[in-house]
Amino acid sequence: MKAAHYPGTPAPAPAARAVVLAGLLAATVAGCGGGTAVRPGGGAVSMRAQWPAVEPADPVRANGVLMRAIGLVGTPYRYGGNTPEGGFDCSGLVNYVFRDMADLRLPRSSRELAAFQGPLIAPARLAPADLVFFGTGGAVTHVGIYVGEGRFVHAPSTGGTVRLDRLDGPYWARAYSGAKRVLR
């Protein structure tokens, strides 16, 4: 599979393609959808049908984060959970994966993660291992880890499990509120 290249964007590097392709192999269970995301501050953000492959700042650490996160797909959701044995909530999953694979200590809640220092990322510039945020009415209430090709890993809700979903899925596109890069 050849990664798409869009005019005005740098050509994807082989390492970025490898990270994205590895994530996509495990992401085949994700659903499909389409739509437009509304940012809490106002304007609509168009979700792409095709996503450019963007090189992560640290491809080795990003790949480790992705492989660990994808390996946790199927782990039960548990509010306040932060271990594979006890289950995960969304921010517990993010914290566990980044601490385990990148030795990075992050804030515990999705709201604190959204406020954590690091550049904001436009949807067209998402790189593997970026954090993606969701919420309504201006409040961030959910976080996931971007895999590539418009897909992300997250722990969605009580009764569910850690899973892969698409940013352009009907619910996630409406609730999308932004992204942040924490690996540099």
Side-chain angles (χ1 to χ4, degrees), residues 5 17 47 52 58 65 68 74 79 81 112 132 143 149 180:
H5 178 215
R17 281 194 298 268
M47 290 295 174
D58 186 337
V65 164
R68 185 67 170 135
Y79 181 77
E112 291 169 330
V132 288
V143 62
E149 299 267 332
K180 191 159 276 205

Side-chain angles (χ1 to χ4, degrees), residues 2-174:
K2 185 172 189 231
H5 178 215
Y6 296 91
T9 63
R17 281 194 298 268
V19 168
V20 170
L21 290 175
L24 287 177
L25 287 174
T28 57
V29 297
C32 294
T36 300
V38 179
R39 300 192 87 160
V45 176
S46 176
M47 290 295 174
R48 307 169 93 59
Q50 294 183 4
W51 298 79
V54 176
E55 175 83 23
D58 186 337
V60 173
R61 285 173 71 201
N63 192 52
V65 164
L66 293 183
M67 293 303 102
R68 185 67 170 135
I70 290 168
L72 294 167
V73 167
T75 303
Y77 176 91
R78 190 187 80 172
Y79 181 77
N82 58 11
T83 65
E85 302 78 26
F88 292 106
D89 65 9
C90 65
S91 58
L93 172 68
V94 167
N95 271 270
Y96 177 82
V97 168
F98 278 86
R99 185 178 57 250
D100 189 39
M101 298 310 296
D103 195 29
L104 186 59
R105 307 295 190 253
L106 296 172
R108 179 57 174 98
S109 76
S110 56
R111 229 167 284 146
E112 291 169 330
L113 284 164
F116 186 66
Q117 63 186 123
L120 295 174
I121 306 299
R125 299 297 308 149
L126 284 168
D130 285 346
L131 300 181
V132 288
F133 298 98
F134 306 90
T136 56
V140 170
T141 57
H142 191 66
V143 62
I145 302 169
Y146 185 70
V147 173
E149 299 267 332
R151 297 170 192 254
F152 67 104
V153 176
H154 65 126
S157 62
T158 302
T161 61
V162 173
R163 70 180 193 218
L164 286 140
D165 272 315
R166 294 192 55 83
L167 287 173
D168 58 3
Y171 174 79
W172 302 112
R174 282 190 310 276

